[in-house]
Coordinates of all heavy atoms in Angstrom, one line a residue:
A694 N 19.7 155.9 82.9 CA 20.0 155.8 81.5 C 21.5 156.0 81.2 O 22.0 155.4 80.3 CB 19.2 156.8 80.7
F695 N 22.1 156.8 82.1 CA 23.5 157.1 81.9 C 24.4 155.9 81.9 O 25.6 155.9 81.4 CB 24.0 158.1 82.9 CG 23.9 157.6 84.3 CD1 25.0 156.9 84.9 CD2 22.8 157.7 85.1 CE1 24.9 156.3 86.2 CE2 22.7 157.2 86.4 CZ 23.7 156.5 86.9
A696 N 24.0 154.8 82.5 CA 24.8 153.6 82.6 C 24.9 152.7 81.4 O 25.6 151.7 81.4 CB 24.3 152.8 83.8
Y697 N 24.1 153.1 80.4 CA 24.0 152.2 79.2 C 24.5 152.9 77.9 O 24.2 154.0 77.7 CB 22.6 151.7 79.0 CG 22.0 151.1 80.2 CD1 21.2 151.8 81.2 CD2 22.3 149.7 80.5 CE1 20.8 151.2 82.3 CE2 21.8 149.1 81.6 CZ 21.0 149.8 82.5 OH 20.6 149.2 83.7
S698 N 25.2 152.1 77.1 CA 25.7 152.6 75.8 C 25.1 151.9 74.6 O 25.4 152.2 73.5 CB 27.2 152.5 75.7 OG 27.6 151.2 75.3
H699 N 24.2 150.9 74.9 CA 23.5 150.2 73.8 C 24.4 149.6 72.8 O 24.2 149.6 71.6 CB 22.6 151.2 73.1 CG 21.4 150.6 72.4 ND1 20.3 150.1 73.1 CD2 21.0 150.5 71.1 CE1 19.4 149.6 72.3 NE2 19.8 149.9 71.1
G700 N 25.6 149.1 73.3 CA 26.6 148.5 72.4 C 27.6 149.4 71.8 O 28.5 148.9 71.2
L701 N 27.4 150.7 72.0 CA 28.4 151.7 71.4 C 29.8 151.5 71.9 O 30.8 151.7 71.2 CB 27.9 153.1 71.7 CG 26.7 153.6 71.1 CD1 26.5 155.1 71.3 CD2 26.6 153.4 69.6
E702 N 29.9 151.0 73.2 CA 31.2 150.9 73.8 C 32.0 149.8 73.0 O 33.2 150.0 72.7 CB 31.1 150.5 75.2 CG 32.5 150.5 75.9 CD 32.4 150.4 77.5 OE1 31.3 150.0 78.0 OE2 33.3 150.8 78.1
W703 N 31.4 148.7 72.7 CA 32.1 147.7 71.9 C 32.4 148.1 70.5 O 33.5 147.9 70.0 CB 31.4 146.4 71.9 CG 32.1 145.3 71.1 CD1 33.1 144.5 71.7 CD2 32.0 145.0 69.7 NE1 33.6 143.7 70.7 CE2 33.0 144.0 69.5 CE3 31.3 145.5 68.7 CZ2 33.1 143.4 68.2 CZ3 31.4 145.0 67.4 CH2 32.4 144.0 67.2
A704 N 31.4 148.8 69.9 CA 31.6 149.3 68.5 C 32.8 150.3 68.4 O 33.5 150.3 67.5 CB 30.3 150.0 68.0
H705 N 33.0 151.1 69.5 CA 34.1 152.0 69.5 C 35.4 151.2 69.6 O 36.4 151.5 68.9 CB 33.9 153.0 70.7 CG 35.1 153.9 70.9 ND1 35.6 154.6 69.9 CD2 35.8 154.2 72.0 CE1 36.6 155.3 70.3 NE2 36.7 155.1 71.6
E706 N 35.4 150.2 70.5 CA 36.6 149.4 70.7 C 37.0 148.7 69.4 O 38.2 148.5 69.1 CB 36.5 148.5 71.9 CG 37.7 147.6 72.1 CD 37.6 146.8 73.4 OE1 37.7 147.4 74.5 OE2 37.5 145.6 73.2
A707 N 36.0 148.2 68.7 CA 36.2 147.4 67.5 C 36.6 148.3 66.3 O 36.9 147.8 65.3 CB 34.9 146.7 67.2
G708 N 36.5 149.6 66.4 CA 36.9 150.5 65.4 C 35.7 150.9 64.4 O 36.0 151.6 63.4
D709 N 34.5 150.5 64.8 CA 33.4 150.9 64.0 C 33.0 152.4 64.1 O 32.6 153.1 63.2 CB 32.1 150.1 64.3 CG 32.2 148.6 64.0 OD1 33.2 148.3 63.3 OD2 31.3 147.9 64.3
L710 N 33.2 152.9 65.3 CA 32.9 154.3 65.6 C 34.1 155.1 66.0 O 34.7 154.8 67.1 CB 31.9 154.4 66.8 CG 30.5 153.6 66.6 CD1 29.7 153.7 67.8 CD2 29.8 154.2 65.4
T711 N 34.5 156.0 65.2 CA 35.8 156.7 65.4 C 35.6 158.2 65.3 O 36.6 158.9 65.8 CB 36.8 156.3 64.3 OG1 36.2 156.5 63.0 CG2 37.1 154.8 64.4
D712 N 34.5 158.7 64.8 CA 34.4 160.2 64.7 C 32.9 160.5 64.5 O 32.0 159.6 64.6 CB 35.2 160.7 63.5 CG 34.8 159.9 62.2 OD1 33.7 159.3 62.1 OD2 35.6 160.0 61.2
A713 N 32.6 161.8 64.3 CA 31.3 162.3 64.2 C 30.5 161.6 63.0 O 29.3 161.3 63.2 CB 31.2 163.8 64.1
A714 N 31.2 161.4 61.9 CA 30.5 160.9 60.7 C 30.0 159.4 61.0 O 28.9 159.1 60.6 CB 31.4 161.0 59.5
T715 N 30.9 158.6 61.5 CA 30.5 157.2 61.8 C 29.5 157.1 62.8 O 28.6 156.3 62.8 CB 31.8 156.4 62.1 OG1 32.5 157.0 63.2 CG2 32.7 156.3 61.0
L716 N 29.6 158.0 63.9 CA 28.5 157.9 64.9 C 27.2 158.4 64.3 O 26.1 157.8 64.6 CB 28.9 158.8 66.1 CG 27.9 158.9 67.2 CD1 27.7 157.6 67.9 CD2 28.4 160.0 68.3
R717 N 27.2 159.4 63.5 CA 25.9 159.9 62.9 C 25.3 158.8 62.1 O 24.1 158.5 62.2 CB 26.2 161.1 62.1 CG 25.1 161.5 61.1 CD 23.9 162.1 61.7 NE 22.9 162.4 60.7 CZ 22.7 163.5 60.1 NH1 23.5 164.6 60.4 NH2 21.8 163.7 59.2
D718 N 26.1 158.1 61.3 CA 25.5 157.0 60.5 C 25.0 155.9 61.3 O 23.9 155.3 61.0 CB 26.6 156.5 59.5 CG 27.0 157.4 58.4 OD1 26.2 158.4 58.2 OD2 28.0 157.2 57.8
W719 N 25.7 155.6 62.4 CA 25.2 154.5 63.3 C 23.9 154.8 63.9 O 23.0 154.0 63.9 CB 26.3 154.3 64.4 CG 26.1 153.1 65.3 CD1 25.3 153.0 66.4 CD2 26.8 151.8 65.2 NE1 25.4 151.8 67.0 CE2 26.3 151.1 66.3 CE3 27.7 151.3 64.4 CZ2 26.7 149.8 66.6 CZ3 28.1 150.0 64.6 CH2 27.6 149.2 65.7
L720 N 23.8 156.0 64.5 CA 22.6 156.4 65.1 C 21.4 156.5 64.2 O 20.3 156.2 64.5 CB 22.8 157.7 65.9 CG 23.8 157.7 67.0 CD1 23.9 159.1 67.7 CD2 23.4 156.7 68.1
D721 N 21.7 157.0 63.0 CA 20.6 157.2 62.0 C 20.1 155.8 61.6 O 18.9 155.6 61.4 CB 21.2 157.9 60.7 CG 20.1 158.2 59.7 OD1 19.1 158.9 60.1 OD2 20.2 157.8 58.6
A722 N 21.0 154.8 61.6 CA 20.5 153.4 61.3 C 19.6 152.9 62.4 O 18.6 152.2 62.1 CB 21.7 152.5 61.1
L723 N 19.9 153.2 63.6 CA 19.0 152.8 64.7 C 17.7 153.5 64.7 O 16.6 152.9 65.0 CB 19.7 153.1 66.1 CG 21.0 152.4 66.4 CD1 21.5 152.8 67.8 CD2 20.8 150.9 66.4
V724 N 17.7 154.7 64.3 CA 16.4 155.5 64.1 C 15.6 154.9 63.0 O 14.3 154.8 63.2 CB 16.7 157.0 63.9 CG1 15.4 157.7 63.6 CG2 17.4 157.6 65.1
T725 N 16.2 154.6 61.9 CA 15.4 154.3 60.7 C 15.0 152.8 60.6 O 13.9 152.5 60.3 CB 16.3 154.6 59.4 OG1 16.7 156.0 59.5 CG2 15.5 154.4 58.2
H726 N 15.9 151.9 61.0 CA 15.6 150.5 60.9 C 16.3 149.7 61.9 O 16.7 148.5 61.7 CB 15.9 150.0 59.4 CG 17.2 150.4 58.9 ND1 17.3 151.3 57.8 CD2 18.5 150.1 59.2 CE1 18.6 151.5 57.6 NE2 19.3 150.8 58.4
G727 N 16.5 150.2 63.1 CA 17.1 149.5 64.2 C 16.2 149.4 65.4 O 15.0 149.5 65.3
S728 N 16.8 149.4 66.6 CA 16.1 149.2 67.8 C 15.2 150.3 68.2 O 14.1 150.1 68.7 CB 17.1 149.0 69.0 OG 18.0 150.1 69.0
L729 N 15.5 151.6 67.8 CA 14.6 152.7 68.1 C 13.3 152.6 67.3 O 12.2 152.9 67.8 CB 15.3 154.0 67.8 CG 14.4 155.2 68.1 CD1 14.0 155.3 69.6 CD2 15.1 156.5 67.8
H730 N 13.4 152.1 66.1 CA 12.2 151.9 65.3 C 11.2 151.0 66.0 O 10.0 151.3 66.2 CB 12.5 151.3 63.9 CG 11.3 150.8 63.2 ND1 10.4 151.6 62.5 CD2 10.9 149.5 63.1 CE1 9.4 150.8 62.0 NE2 9.7 149.5 62.3
N731 N 11.8 149.9 66.5 CA 10.9 148.9 67.2 C 10.4 149.5 68.5 O 9.2 149.3 68.9 CB 11.7 147.6 67.5 CG 11.8 146.7 66.3 OD1 11.0 146.9 65.3 ND2 12.7 145.8 66.3
D732 N 11.2 150.3 69.2 CA 10.8 150.9 70.5 C 9.6 151.8 70.2 O 8.6 151.8 71.0 CB 11.9 151.7 71.1 CG 12.8 150.9 72.0 OD1 12.6 149.7 72.1 OD2 13.7 151.5 72.6
L733 N 9.6 152.6 69.1 CA 8.6 153.5 68.8 C 7.3 152.8 68.4 O 6.2 153.2 68.7 CB 9.0 154.5 67.7 CG 10.1 155.4 68.0 CD1 10.5 156.3 66.8 CD2 9.8 156.2 69.2
V734 N 7.4 151.6 67.7 CA 6.2 150.8 67.3 C 5.6 150.3 68.6 O 4.4 150.4 68.8 CB 6.6 149.7 66.4 CG1 5.4 148.7 66.2 CG2 7.1 150.2 65.0
L735 N 6.4 149.8 69.5 CA 5.9 149.2 70.8 C 5.2 150.4 71.6 O 4.2 150.2 72.2 CB 7.0 148.6 71.6 CG 7.6 147.3 71.0 CD1 8.9 147.0 71.6 CD2 6.6 146.1 71.1
F736 N 5.9 151.5 71.6 CA 5.4 152.7 72.3 C 4.0 153.0 71.8 O 3.0 153.2 72.6 CB 6.3 153.8 72.1 CG 6.1 155.0 73.0 CD1 7.1 155.5 73.9 CD2 4.9 155.8 72.9 CE1 6.9 156.6 74.7 CE2 4.7 156.9 73.7 CZ 5.7 157.3 74.6
A737 N 3.8 153.2 70.5 CA 2.6 153.6 69.9 C 1.5 152.5 70.2 O 0.3 152.9 70.5 CB 2.7 153.8 68.4
C738 N 1.8 151.3 70.1 CA 0.8 150.2 70.3 C 0.4 150.2 71.8 O -0.8 150.0 72.1 CB 1.4 148.9 69.9 SG 1.6 148.7 68.2
A739 N 1.4 150.4 72.7 CA 1.0 150.4 74.2 C 0.2 151.6 74.5 O -0.7 151.5 75.3 CB 2.3 150.4 75.0
W740 N 0.5 152.8 73.9 CA -0.3 154.0 74.2 C -1.7 153.8 73.8 O -2.6 154.2 74.5 CB 0.4 155.1 73.4 CG -0.2 156.5 73.7 CD1 0.3 157.4 74.5 CD2 -1.3 157.1 73.0 NE1 -0.4 158.6 74.5 CE2 -1.4 158.4 73.6 CE3 -2.2 156.7 72.0 CZ2 -2.4 159.3 73.2 CZ3 -3.2 157.6 71.6 CH2 -3.3 158.9 72.2
R741 N -1.9 153.2 72.6 CA -3.3 153.0 72.1 C -4.0 152.0 73.0 O -5.2 152.1 73.3 CB -3.3 152.6 70.7 CG -3.0 153.7 69.7 CD -3.3 153.4 68.3 NE -2.6 152.2 67.8 CZ -1.4 152.3 67.2 NH1 -0.8 153.5 67.0 NH2 -0.8 151.2 66.9
A742 N -3.3 150.9 73.4 CA -4.0 149.8 74.2 C -4.4 150.4 75.5 O -5.5 150.1 76.0 CB -3.0 148.7 74.4
C743 N -3.6 151.3 76.1 CA -4.0 151.9 77.4 C -5.2 152.8 77.2 O -6.2 152.7 78.0 CB -2.9 152.8 77.9 SG -1.7 151.9 78.9
G744 N -5.2 153.6 76.1 CA -6.4 154.4 75.8 C -7.7 153.7 75.6 O -8.7 154.2 75.9
E745 N -7.5 152.5 75.0 CA -8.7 151.7 74.7 C -9.1 150.8 75.9 O -10.1 150.1 75.8 CB -8.4 150.8 73.5 CG -8.3 151.7 72.2 CD -7.6 150.9 71.1 OE1 -7.3 149.7 71.3 OE2 -7.4 151.5 70.0
G746 N -8.3 150.8 76.9 CA -8.6 149.9 78.1 C -8.5 148.4 77.7 O -9.1 147.6 78.3
D747 N -7.6 148.1 76.8 CA -7.5 146.7 76.3 C -6.3 146.1 77.0 O -5.2 146.1 76.6 CB -7.2 146.7 74.8 CG -7.3 145.4 74.2 OD1 -7.2 144.4 74.9 OD2 -7.5 145.3 72.9
G748 N -6.6 145.4 78.1 CA -5.6 144.8 79.0 C -4.9 143.6 78.3 O -3.7 143.4 78.4
A749 N -5.7 142.9 77.5 CA -5.1 141.7 76.8 C -4.0 142.2 75.8 O -2.9 141.6 75.7 CB -6.2 140.9 76.1
A750 N -4.4 143.3 75.0 CA -3.4 143.8 74.1 C -2.2 144.4 74.8 O -1.0 144.2 74.3 CB -4.1 144.9 73.2
L751 N -2.4 145.0 75.9 CA -1.3 145.6 76.7 C -0.4 144.5 77.2 O 0.9 144.7 77.1 CB -1.9 146.5 77.8 CG -0.9 147.3 78.6 CD1 -0.1 148.3 77.7 CD2 -1.6 148.1 79.7
A752 N -0.9 143.5 77.7 CA -0.1 142.3 78.1 C 0.7 141.7 77.0 O 1.9 141.4 77.2 CB -1.0 141.3 78.8

Side-chain angles (χ1 to χ4, degrees):
F695 62 88
Y697 303 97
S698 82
H699 207 68
L701 293 187
E702 187 169 19
W703 182 85
H705 176 49
E706 182 175 287
D709 291 356
L710 300 176
T711 57
D712 54 20
T715 53
L716 178 62
R717 163 73 184 265
D718 288 347
W719 185 281
L720 295 179
D721 189 54
L723 294 181
V724 172
T725 306
H726 43 250
S728 54
L729 181 59
H730 165 78
N731 283 340
D732 275 2
L733 295 181
V734 172
L735 292 165
F736 191 118
C738 291
W740 188 94
R741 288 194 299 270
C743 273
E745 295 163 1
D747 191 339
L751 189 56

